[in-house]
Amino acid sequence: MEPYSGGAAEARFEPAAAPNGTGGGQEAPPQPPAPMDTAAPEAEAAPEAAPPPPPATAILAQRRRAGADLDDDANVLQHLARACFRLARIVETSIRLGALATPLVLSAPLRRFDEDRWWRYCLWATRAAGPTAVKLAQWASSREDRFPRAFCDRFAHLQDRAPAHAWRDTERALEASLGPDWRDVLDVDAAPVGTGCVAQVHSAVLKKDVTNGGRRGDRVAVKVVHPAARRRVASDLDFLRACARAGEALIPRAKWFNLAAAADEFAATLGAQMDMRAEADNLERLRENFRNQSSVSFPAPRRALVSEDVLVEDFVEGPSMREYLKRDVDDARRKALARVGVDAVCKMIFHDNLLHGDLHPGNILVTRDATRDPAVCFLDAGICVELGAKEHVHLVRVLSALMRHDGDAAGRLLCKGMDGARAMHNGFGTDEAWQRAQDSFCECMRDITSRSVEEEFFNKYSEYASRIFAEAEKCRVALEGFFVSTAVAIRVMEGVANALDPDVPIGQLALKWIASSPYVAAGLTRS
């Protein structure tokens, strides 16, 4: 049977075909049978047939196109609305930060008359500026080798004492995450035991057994995201991106810094910290990496009690490293703890390829300070740095060159970048000028590695890293973000270790993990 392509009405009025195959037109009066050898009488000329209606697929395609046009219009309006909203947030953030910074700048000349009050205002303004400013201040206050001692002493309080939110906000978060009967599961202390720029922590006790969550009587830590944190961080990051793009547009030389990419990378990193489920994933991976090392631990998340806004994990006892450094502790215990901390960070970077990305003394607890068997616990693993295969290979090649004291090769690799191409936005007008800048940068790297023949590179890592960054700025070598992040993490841990023991053998501890890493071994073999 041939497929039907007409409408139902046409089918109803079409006459049946004649027995001898004569076609039918309009209905005619009956005719006598014709002889077999005679042709059928000529029928009336049929009117010109109307074009067949379009098939269903064509109709659907037309509707889709019409819908797509409407969707495009709606998308344009949505994009416009989002752009206006972001612009409003940028303006609001600019006004807020300007209002906080203006008194700080104007009162700077008067600081010598009442320095303590001026520093108190700095601390208050940083807290009022929001989570992003607090996060930056936490990092800076852990670097006594890079920032004034007065600044570090005062802003160190932000490492575990950032502004707290109200208890009713914690109750609302627990109800939204764990249900209205959360009080039947957890007995939570109203006063927080610690506050960060993104969340605060309460002590709690499980009131009954919870499958994949713990047993009755377990003491746990309940970490709750601040209610306004996401909105404030989004506003800060919009402002940061706008400043980065404005800087690149207004200052041609600033383009080689790749400020926009750096702002996007920072935004992605800070955004990941806002999801407690991601932190639980990081904790489980870190615990697996250190399962055979009793000197390093991470809190275990209670999976049944984890949501986007709430993380329930082991409660860990012990003073923070910031508090421990103030104690009168004998040198033997300090030296032992310094080795444990440096060894752990080197393992994360060079062997595991999973680095705790929020290292500062407030996030490290001393759980055991015995001379022979010290132990530490790393908290707040919301930010972790993990390199992709391509990034890791590039880092391995740079480290391999440094281990061979081949500064020229390390410099050339950093100049070419991960993709092997010339640095982007370097700002030089000619290839000759760019080549001279590369030669200058490599000369600096050769000087560093020639010195490190006698004094190991990692034993003076902070000094050498500062020289590399300064020379990169001078020669407009845009270093990859992951290289800078790794360098900063080592420098933070180096600062903590040196506060415990200025003679800690960072080089020996680093080289042990570098040599044992299969990635680095492969890189050394290829080199």
Side-chain angles (χ1 to χ4, degrees):
M1 179 180 294
E2 294 182 358
Y4 169 68
S5 62
E10 293 174 307
R12 210 167 26 245
F13 292 103
E14 183 180 13
N20 292 323
T22 55
Q26 291 181 337
E27 187 173 355
Q31 299 290 332
M36 295 296 293
D37 58 347
T38 60
E42 184 176 355
E44 289 184 21
E48 184 177 352
T57 53
I59 296 174
L60 289 175
Q62 292 174 355
R63 290 177 179 174
R64 287 195 191 99
R65 283 194 294 272
D69 292 339
L70 293 175
D71 288 342
D72 289 342
D73 293 340
N75 288 336
V76 170
L77 293 176
Q78 288 174 0
H79 287 309
L80 182 61
R82 282 197 292 266
C84 292
F85 181 66
R86 282 196 298 269
L87 179 60
R89 288 200 307 200
I90 291 171
V91 172
E92 183 271 334
T93 303
S94 303
I95 295 173
R96 174 168 53 85
L97 295 181
L100 292 170
T102 300
L104 193 65
V105 174
L106 295 178
S107 62
L110 305 176
R111 188 182 65 177
R112 56 184 171 179
F113 299 108
D114 194 348
E115 185 173 4
D116 187 62
R117 178 175 295 182
W118 188 82
W119 279 113
R120 285 203 306 270
Y121 178 79
C122 288
L123 191 61
W124 175 86
T126 302
R127 286 171 170 164
T132 308
V134 172
K135 176 62 66 180
L136 293 173
Q138 285 178 341
W139 169 79
S141 64
S142 68
R143 296 297 298 166
E144 292 186 12
D145 57 330
R146 308 307 303 166
F147 296 94
R149 180 67 180 270
F151 168 85
C152 294
D153 287 346
R154 287 170 172 83
F155 279 78
H157 295 287
L158 294 177
Q159 292 176 8
D160 53 12
R161 284 296 170 188
H165 62 249
W167 167 243
R168 63 180 176 274
D169 293 322
T170 295
E171 290 181 307
R172 280 196 287 265
L174 290 171
E175 182 172 349
S177 299
L178 307 180
D181 299 329
W182 66 268
R183 291 179 180 82
D184 296 336
V185 179
L186 291 168
D187 181 14
V188 183
D189 291 340
V193 296
T195 55
C197 62
V198 170
Q200 67 188 40
V201 179
H202 297 260
S203 173
V205 176
L206 285 178
K207 299 173 72 173
K208 63 181 182 181
D209 294 348
V210 178
T211 303
N212 204 23
R215 300 187 63 82
R216 178 182 179 182
D218 286 354
R219 190 180 183 192
V220 294
V222 179
K223 188 173 181 179
V224 182
V225 175
H226 295 312
R230 288 190 176 87
R231 179 182 61 81
R232 294 291 293 274
V233 167
S235 298
D236 292 344
L237 295 179
D238 281 341
F239 177 75
L240 187 63
R241 290 190 184 99
C243 289
R245 285 165 174 76
E248 289 188 350
L250 298 175
I251 307 173
R253 182 183 171 88
K255 286 185 176 181
W256 72 267
F257 276 109
N258 212 357
L259 297 178
D264 290 338
E265 182 180 351
F266 179 73
T269 300
L270 193 56
Q273 196 180 14
M274 308 296 293
D275 191 338
M276 296 294 101
R277 297 168 298 186
E279 180 166 350
D281 292 340
N282 292 338
L283 286 171
E284 288 180 340
R285 295 182 62 191
L286 289 165
R287 284 173 59 83
E288 175 63 21
N289 290 343
F290 284 85
R291 67 186 184 279
N292 296 323
Q293 292 192 264
S294 60
S295 59
V296 179
S297 64
F298 300 84
R302 308 300 179 97
R303 270 297 181 179
L305 303 175
V306 175
S307 69
E308 185 178 9
D309 291 325
V310 174
L311 168 65
V312 179
E313 60 186 4
D314 291 348
F315 189 93
V316 182
E317 299 275 6
S320 70
M321 187 64 73
R322 183 175 69 84
E323 297 171 347
Y324 186 83
L325 290 173
K326 298 177 181 178
R327 296 183 178 182
D328 185 15
V329 181
D330 62 82
D331 290 343
R333 285 188 288 175
R334 283 177 172 267
K335 289 178 182 291
L337 273 175
R339 293 181 68 96
V340 168
V342 172
D343 187 73
V345 172
C346 290
K347 181 179 186 297
M348 292 182 207
I349 295 172
F350 302 118
H351 189 272
D352 300 337
N353 187 24
L354 184 66
L355 170 65
H356 190 303
D358 192 17
L359 291 173
H360 59 74
N363 279 347
I364 306 172
L365 300 186
V366 180
T367 55
R368 193 171 58 242
D369 68 345
T371 303
R372 293 184 177 276
D373 189 22
V376 297
C377 180
F378 292 90
L379 308 177
D380 293 347
I383 299 176
C384 278
V385 178
E386 182 177 15
L387 305 184
K390 197 172 186 179
E391 297 167 331
H392 209 156
V393 168
H394 183 60
L395 181 63
V396 162
R397 295 180 68 192
V398 174
L399 291 174
S400 300
L402 293 173
M403 289 173 65
R404 300 191 314 271
H405 306 290
D406 189 348
D408 188 77
R412 300 292 173 191
L413 288 168
L414 290 173
C415 288
K416 289 180 179 179
M418 182 176 61
D419 296 322
R422 61 177 286 173
M424 295 178 61
H425 308 306
N426 54 59
F428 290 100
T430 64
D431 288 341
E432 291 77 11
W434 168 231
Q435 186 60 50
R436 287 194 298 271
Q438 291 183 80
D439 293 340
S440 176
F441 181 76
C442 292
E443 177 63 32
C444 172
M445 295 297 294
R446 284 196 297 271
D447 181 65
I448 289 174
T449 51
S450 66
R451 291 172 181 269
S452 65
V453 172
E454 298 179 357
E455 48 187 31
E456 291 182 3
F457 178 83
F458 286 99
N459 283 347
K460 292 204 171 182
Y461 183 85
S462 183
E463 176 185 335
Y464 293 149
S466 297
R467 281 195 61 189
I468 292 172
F469 291 161
E471 194 67 21
E473 189 276 335
K474 176 184 174 183
C475 300
R476 308 181 195 177
V477 176
L479 302 175
E480 274 87 7
F482 65 84
F483 182 85
V484 177
S485 300
T486 303
V488 169
I490 297 177
R491 290 172 66 175
V492 169
M493 194 63 236
E494 182 191 32
V496 175
N498 285 335
L500 289 166
D501 176 20
D503 299 322
V504 60
I506 298 176
Q508 294 177 16
L509 296 171
L511 290 175
K512 177 185 73 172
W513 290 112
I514 291 174
S516 68
S517 171
Y519 303 100
V520 177
L524 287 171
T525 301
R526 285 193 298 270
S527 301

